[in-house]
């Protein structure tokens, strides 16, 4: 007699069902215990077009923040003698000044046992208004930061005194459609003097001297009109004597605003530059040409050469004139040029193009060769070079930031060899400073 079966009533076989005899089985499957469901998910490939992303925990270890602007911030600068005094300008047509002198904790906030989830914003020292469009450029004058300059897309140049914490307005003017940059010179004989680059291609050099003319404290020293499109960037040589500017038309010009090069016997290489520019390179020269324009410039600490950056990741390195130490006669002569305009500069002298002395210069300057010579052509990044910067005079590195989000480091002492290419320095964002 067959032993009884322990089956549920619902699952009991009917009388018509035939049970499978073990001898009739084709294969016996061994018991396989259940596995966690998560393991199945990990084996599945991601959907088409999707990529697995690694989550990186971020900690906010900032000491403080400033959030009074109501639109994008386009420019920021520090006082030359008080670095904690910070000025910012943005799309809300407003300039704020605040102090970043915040006491530093022993450990960053992320190490606190009970870190605060919110912090109050730094309060501004001063709020400056008066522009009718975005503030595109800010600069403190040198050497003492006596004035704060603000330049806007409304074309206004406004000068504020820093002797009072309210930053009162000294004067304002509007000569151009839009202001693209402001660059103060460090020349010891021309304090509170600066250059301005405009969207119409013009380059202006001003000085601020309320003592000589209280009714007209802002005086024009020079105006240049060789750029045919927007003047996008400009900077002075480390001694503050020469000014170099670039443009969307692909041109580079080196100016002699104070006439010191002319006094030293260095003049423009041809009459085509109108005796204004010591060096002039344009897109007409195929060796120098950068299609779609130039947007950034930096000068080596030695003053021997400049690097200019433009569209499609292109960088050109160009030799500059070397003036040497200014003599007493040169200093007095430059003072006599004050306010005289471009026509007041001495003419004549030897032409640029001879060998440039490099004695006593920092590493990398010996490759300067001659003024106006194209020393190197570089292209590592894929999009526009928006910012260029040389390291301190004791080093030879040139950093280039691109719209493709990458940063490149070149060694100027070794024929601008690429030392590092940080491809995702700012992944998905342009490097603009």
């Amino acid at each position: 007699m067959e032993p009884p079966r322990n089956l549920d009533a619902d699952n009991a076989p009917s009388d018509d069902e035939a049970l499978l005899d073990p001898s009739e089985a084709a294969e016996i499957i061994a018991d396989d215990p259940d596995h966690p469901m998560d393991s199945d998910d990990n084996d599945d490939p991601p959907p088409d077009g999707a990529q697995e992303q690694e989550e990186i925990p971020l900690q906010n270890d900032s000491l403080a923040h400033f959030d009074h602007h109501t639109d994008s911030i386009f420019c920021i600068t520090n006082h030359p003698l008080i670095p904690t005094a910070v000025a910012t300008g943005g799309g809300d047509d407003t300039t704020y000044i605040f102090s970043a002198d915040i006491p530093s904790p022993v450990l960053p906030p992320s190490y606190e046992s009970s870190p605060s989830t919110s912090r109050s914003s730094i309060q501004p020292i001063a709020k400056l208004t008066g522009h009718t469009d975005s503030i595109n450029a800010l600069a403190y004058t040198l050497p003492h930061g006596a004035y704060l300059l603000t330049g806007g897309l409304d074309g206004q140049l406004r000068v504020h005194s820093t002797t009072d914490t309210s930053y009162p307005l000294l004067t304002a003017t509007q000569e151009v459609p839009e202001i693209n940059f402001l660059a103060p010179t460090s020349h010891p004989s021309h304090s509170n003097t600066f250059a301005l680059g405009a969207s119409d291609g013009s380059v202006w050099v001003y000085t601020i001297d309320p003592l000589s003319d209280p009714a007209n404290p802002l005086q024009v020293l020079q105006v240049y009109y060789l750029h045919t499109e927007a003047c996008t960037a400009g900077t002075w040589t480390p001694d503050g004597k020469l000014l170099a500017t670039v443009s969307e038309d692909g041109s580079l010009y080196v100016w002699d605003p104070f006439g010191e090069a002319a006094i030293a016997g260095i003049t423009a290489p041809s009459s085509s530059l109108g005796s204004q520019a010591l060096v002039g390179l344009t897109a007409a020269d195929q060796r120098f040409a950068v299609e779609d324009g130039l947007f950034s410039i930096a000068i080596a600490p030695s003053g021997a050469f400049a690097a200019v950056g433009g569209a499609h990741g292109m960088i050109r390195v160009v030799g500059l004139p070397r003036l040497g130490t200014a003599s007493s006669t040169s200093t007095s002569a430059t003072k006599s040029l004050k306010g005289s305009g471009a026509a007041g500069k001495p003419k004549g002298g030897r032409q640029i193009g001879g060998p440039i002395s490099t004695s006593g210069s920092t590493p990398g300057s010996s490759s300067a060769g001659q003024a106006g010579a194209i020393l190197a052509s570089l292209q590592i990044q894929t999009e526009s070079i928006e910012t260029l910067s040389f390291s301190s005079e004791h080093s030879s590195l040139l950093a280039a930031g691109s719209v493709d989000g990458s940063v490149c480091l070149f060694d100027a002492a070794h024929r601008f060899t690429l030392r590092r290419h940080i491809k995702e320095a700012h992944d998905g964002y342009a490097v603009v400073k």
Side-chain angles (χ1 to χ4, degrees), residues 203-206 220-224 256-258 337 340-343 345:
V203 178
W204 300 67
V205 180
Y206 291 91
V220 178
L221 297 185
Q222 304 284 2
V223 187
Y224 305 109
D256 180 25
F258 310 124
L337 292 174
S340 61
K345 292 190 298 183

Side-chain angles (χ1 to χ4, degrees), residues 45-343:
D48 293 341
Q51 295 182 354
E52 294 185 10
Q53 295 184 355
E54 180 184 359
E55 183 176 348
I56 301 175
L58 299 177
Q59 298 289 348
N60 181 4
D61 286 335
S62 61
L63 299 179
H65 70 281
F66 182 82
D67 61 1
H68 286 257
H69 282 286
T70 58
D71 205 332
S72 299
I73 298 174
F74 296 138
C75 45
I76 183 169
T77 189
N78 300 76
H79 192 283
L81 301 183
I82 311 172
T84 54
V86 181
T88 58
D92 54 6
D93 313 341
T94 304
T95 300
Y96 285 101
I97 295 91
F98 64 91
S99 174
D101 188 12
I102 309 298
S104 300
V106 177
L107 294 174
S110 61
Y111 283 77
E112 297 177 2
S113 57
S114 300
S116 175
T117 57
S118 62
R119 277 173 281 176
S120 59
S121 171
I122 299 175
Q123 295 303 305
I125 297 173
K127 177 181 178 180
L128 310 180
T129 59
H131 284 278
T132 58
D133 205 339
S134 300
I135 296 175
N136 203 34
L138 290 173
Y140 283 96
T141 58
L142 298 174
H144 304 301
Y147 304 98
L148 173 65
L149 314 170
T150 66
L153 295 182
D154 58 0
Q156 278 196 80
L157 169 66
R158 300 174 69 85
V159 180
H160 297 263
S161 172
T162 63
T163 56
D164 188 280
T165 56
S166 63
Y167 279 55
L169 180 68
L170 175 67
T171 187
T173 187
Q174 184 175 359
E175 305 282 358
V176 298
E178 297 177 357
I179 295 175
N180 287 335
F181 75 84
L182 295 165
T185 178
S186 60
H187 196 299
S189 300
H190 295 276
S191 59
N192 302 321
T193 300
F194 62 95
L196 175 156
S199 61
D200 60 2
S202 62
V203 178
W204 300 67
V205 180
Y206 291 91
T207 191
I208 305 170
D209 189 1
L211 296 180
S212 64
D213 188 356
N216 183 30
L218 184 63
Q219 302 167 14
V220 178
L221 297 185
Q222 304 284 2
V223 187
Y224 305 109
Y225 296 101
L226 291 185
H227 292 300
T228 59
E229 295 183 31
C231 182
T232 50
T235 189
W236 297 84
T237 51
D239 56 15
K241 297 177 181 179
L242 303 179
L243 172 67
T245 60
V246 295
S247 168
E248 286 183 356
D249 64 7
S251 62
L252 161 69
Y253 292 113
V254 179
W255 316 100
D256 180 25
F258 310 124
E260 295 196 20
I263 292 173
I266 304 175
T267 60
S270 67
S271 59
S272 62
L273 298 182
S275 300
Q276 293 188 57
L278 299 177
V279 173
L281 292 172
T282 70
D285 185 342
Q286 292 302 312
R287 300 169 303 164
F288 181 76
V290 175
E291 187 178 357
D292 298 326
L294 299 171
F295 309 117
S296 55
I297 183 170
I299 294 179
S302 65
F305 52 87
V308 299
H312 315 297
M314 301 297 295
I315 299 174
R316 302 284 188 262
V317 182
V318 180
L320 297 180
R322 304 295 299 279
L323 300 187
T325 303
S327 63
S328 58
T329 56
S330 173
T331 302
S332 61
T334 57
K335 289 182 178 179
S336 68
L337 292 174
K338 186 174 183 179
S340 61

Side-chain angles (χ1 to χ4, degrees), residues 374-395:
I374 301 173
L375 308 178
S377 295
L378 313 170
Q379 186 181 25
I380 301 296
Q381 290 139 300
T382 59
E383 297 189 41
S384 300
I385 304 298
E386 292 293 318
T387 181
L388 290 165
S389 178
F390 283 95
S391 56
S392 67
E393 59 179 307
H394 302 294
S395 182

